[in-house]
Amino acid sequence: MSVLVNKDSKVIVQGFTGNEGTYHASQMIEYGTQVKDAVVKTGADVSIIFVPPAFAADAIMEAAEAGIKVIVCITEGIPTKDMILVKKYIADKDCRLIGPNCPGIITADEAKIGIMPGFIFKKGGVGIVSKSGTLTYEAVDQVVKAGLGITTAIGIGGDPIIGTPTKEAVKLLMNDPETKGIVMIGEIGGGMEAEAAYWIKKNGTKPVVGFIAGQTAPPGRRMGHAGAIVGGR
Amino acid sequence: MAFHIPTLRNVVRLGKCIPTRCNVNIQSVRHLNLLEYQSKTLLEKYNVTVQKFIVADNIDDTNCLSAKLKAGEYVVKAQILAGGRGLGVFDSGFKGGVHLTKDPVKAKNLVAEMLNRRLITKQTPKDGIPVNHVMVAESVDILRETYLCILMDREYNGPVIIASPAGGMDIEDVAHKTPELIKTLPVDIFEGVTDAMANDLAEFLLFKGDLKKKAVDAVQVEINPFVETPQGQVVSVDAKIGFDDNAKFRQQEIFSMEDTTECDPREVEANKYNLNYIGMDGNIGCLVNGAGLAMATMDIIQLYGASPANFLDVGGTVQEQQVLQAFQILTSDKNVKAILVNVFGGIVNCATIAAGIVGACKRIELKVPLIVRLEGTNVDAAKQILKDSGLPIQSASDLDDAAKKAVASI
């Protein structure tokens, strides 16, 4: 079954004009996703956003207003204040935001809404939740080389304010009948992973393996991702 | 009179002891850092009451001080980005980066003792920080000190105001020992601070105060101490403002105030080439694509007993030229005893990295072992490029292997 996206998802791409948008859109088509160009015409229910940071927040809100159910925002560099406004705006709309600053979602052998390299994925029973891009690929690669496979990998993004925090993404996979185990990859910055861990302890029904990158990060410095910064105790 | 200057401190987690629902992180972060006088100029622009002051960049700026700045008493403060100024010592032996005097001539002399000297405090490197600006301000009589901070909190997903009537001291101590003295108020981003909230806060702070949230993309505004004077004024005696780097494109004026004199020169160099680099002091230099993978690489180096010399995320759009520039920065670091390249190419083409490495090795005489682990897009072609170069590059089959080899090589 998979979570969030599958071969029947209808996707529109916002921000097609940049090189990135076009390259990845064609990669997504190759992988099996159906891409359409307008919600009304096509009944699209998923949108992927490559719109540059200055306008990305508007793009997200536009998608939500248009009735898109799953919005994946790849854009890195959206100002924090804009994301705060976005989250408030979409709170009462029937949609789920993944990202921003994320590699997207991929359901192995069915659909890719994002920029993850499809060729490293193999279909199987492990679900992945990750703040990172390339560290996700590393995890997927290791899982596949260990003889297992992936159901859905959800890149939740590395910003301090994101649409779907770790716990929510873990919940989705915990409730997916095809997912037998979960890999949760986090980073320093904020308490999302801890919150997810508490939830898993109380409600988890499948094995979860967790890793938090950045143990060696110096305190007070922002490690690449806008949200990756060490706090106190 | 003690002037507590909070700067690069640790975060405090206000946990379950707070009688509100939020878990809030107070973060001292190295986003854009402004000097005290820059923060105060900004606050003044938005109608927050700060002390009257002048800034001296050279000694002539203090000529006719009593005309430029009428005050019963002057406070002279060295402007650096670290705290502990009051108890600091200059490299000349002169003691104290903060002084009070009623005499404008003495004030001028104090400025002369501070300008262009290096100030060493508990929070600076051992050889101190050069003082390029000195603030001379009207000294404010302090009746009471309170604490006020507004920050963007990720748990609440919005701005939060933190206030305490116990100001002028370490807020983490207050949170720890007397948590009932801290009030945390989430602010709705659309509604803003309502009059009711402002009144509520003012009462909690035990006076009539007024604070407005401004459109400058700040992620944190911390005012400690937030003072009530005997004359019935409310003054922000010290302010620390943190800004959102993602907002740079629309806050040109604020970001142009950035002073890079105190930054690590390796980082200033890396910035020129759009390399996301943070200098540390370990012995294995790292070059990785992706922040999460870069952090994990640093972690695994430590796991196997060595220490990362830096964080470096070359990003998804890295070109050959940037690989060369990255190598130049890594090899100019005398602590680096080995270099580890770990690239998992999704968007990134491994062959570009391989070509960049070969190019760099030919340009720079590489004197330390180089371990390269490549995976992902075009990896076979990349491995061939490395092989054909004839260079003494150690190849690694996976991240674990790469880290072990790197540590073994030093």
Side-chain angles (χ1 to χ4, degrees), chain A residues 77-80 82 84 87-88 134 138 145 160-161 187 189-191 213-216 220-222 224 227 231-232, chain B residues 11 30 152 154-155 157 188 190 244-246 249-250 267 276 278 280 289-290 292-293 298-299 302 373 375-376:
Chain A
I78 304 178
T80 307
D82 290 5
I84 292 175
K87 283 213 79 169
K88 270 244 123 179
T134 52
E138 176 71 46
K145 283 182 172 149
I161 309 277
E187 294 173 358
Q215 256 194 72
T216 48
R221 301 302 307 274
R222 187 175 57 80
Chain B
V11 167
R30 278 221 10 220
M152 294 299 204
R154 63 176 91 199
E155 250 99 276
N157 278 313
D188 182 303
F190 289 113
D244 180 4
D245 283 348
N246 281 352
F249 69 88
R250 62 185 187 201
E267 294 179 15
N276 205 337
I278 293 177
M280 291 156 70
N289 67 321
L293 189 59
M298 285 161 39
D299 292 347
Q302 182 172 267
R373 181 275 181 130
E375 190 60 79

Side-chain angles (χ1 to χ4, degrees), chain B residues 317-349:
Chain B
T317 51
V318 61
Q319 301 301 321
E320 259 183 65
Q321 181 64 8
Q322 287 168 295
V323 176
L324 166 63
Q325 282 141 2
F327 263 74
Q328 278 169 336
I329 296 173
L330 293 180
T331 50
S332 69
D333 183 347
K334 44 185 162 43
N335 287 331
V336 168
K337 300 285 177 278
I339 294 179
L340 170 51
V341 172
N342 178 24
V343 166
F344 201 122
I347 314 172
V348 168
N349 185 335

Side-chain angles (χ1 to χ4, degrees), chain B residues 82-340:
Chain B
R85 290 176 290 171
L87 296 172
V89 179
F90 288 86
D91 53 357
S92 58
F94 181 71
K95 291 201 178 109
V98 177
H99 286 268
L100 288 166
T101 176
K102 292 191 157 75
D103 181 354
V105 173
K106 276 220 180 90
K108 183 171 175 162
N109 292 336
L110 287 166
V111 173
E113 292 282 5
M114 297 184 188
L115 259 185
N116 303 317
R117 297 267 154 79
R118 298 183 78 89
L119 178 58
I120 304 151
T121 79
K122 275 197 186 138
Q123 295 184 24
T124 66
K126 289 205 190 75
D127 60 349
I129 299 180
V131 177
N132 298 324
H133 312 276
V134 177
M135 172 194 272
V136 181
E138 168 196 39
S139 170
V140 157
D141 288 329
I142 294 180
L143 185 63
R144 294 184 312 119
E145 293 176 314
T146 70
Y147 175 94
L148 190 61
C149 178
I150 310 173
L151 56 91
M152 294 299 204
D153 179 62
R154 63 176 91 199
E155 250 99 276
Y156 171 64
N157 278 313
V160 169
I161 296 182
I162 302 175
S164 174
M169 55 180 91
D170 214 322
I171 195 64
E172 288 98 330
D173 280 344
V174 177
H176 203 62
K177 295 177 188 147
T178 48
E180 69 280 4
L181 286 181
I182 297 197
K183 194 186 204 40
T184 307
L185 270 182
V187 179
D188 182 303
I189 189 93
F190 289 113
E191 255 183 53
V193 179
T194 61
D195 283 343
M197 283 177 84
N199 264 324
D200 191 22
L201 273 173
E203 274 177 29
F204 183 75
L205 289 175
L206 305 174
F207 63 172
K208 281 187 169 4
D210 193 15
L211 186 78
K212 293 176 196 167
K213 174 85 172 56
K214 307 303 172 187
V216 293
D217 281 300
V219 292
Q220 176 181 309
V221 175
E222 184 185 47
I223 304 188
N224 190 18
F226 188 50
V227 153
E228 176 182 348
T229 69
Q231 297 82 11
Q233 269 201 309
V234 177
V235 183
S236 300
V237 170
D238 193 14
K240 194 169 66 125
I241 309 183
F243 295 93
D244 180 4
D245 283 348
N246 281 352
K248 193 168 173 172
F249 69 88
R250 62 185 187 201
Q251 298 290 353
Q252 310 277 10
E253 213 188 299
I254 291 180
F255 278 81
S256 68
M257 291 198 261
E258 183 169 25
D259 180 348
T260 54
T261 22
E262 295 178 40
C263 294
D264 185 328
R266 298 173 293 176
E267 294 179 15
V268 178
E269 187 69 13
N271 247 320
K272 279 202 252 171
Y273 307 117
N274 278 326
L275 291 167
N276 205 337
Y277 172 98
I278 293 177
M280 291 156 70
D281 49 18
N283 49 21
I284 299 194
C286 307
L287 190 159
V288 184
N289 67 321
L293 189 59
M295 285 192 275
T297 305
M298 285 161 39
D299 292 347
I300 200 172
I301 287 172
Q302 182 172 267
L303 183 67
Y304 285 123
S307 175
N310 65 281
F311 164 92
L312 173 53
D313 169 14
V314 296
T317 51
V318 61
Q319 301 301 321
E320 259 183 65
Q321 181 64 8
Q322 287 168 295
V323 176
L324 166 63
Q325 282 141 2
F327 263 74
Q328 278 169 336
I329 296 173
L330 293 180
T331 50
S332 69
D333 183 347
K334 44 185 162 43
N335 287 331
V336 168
K337 300 285 177 278
I339 294 179
L340 170 51

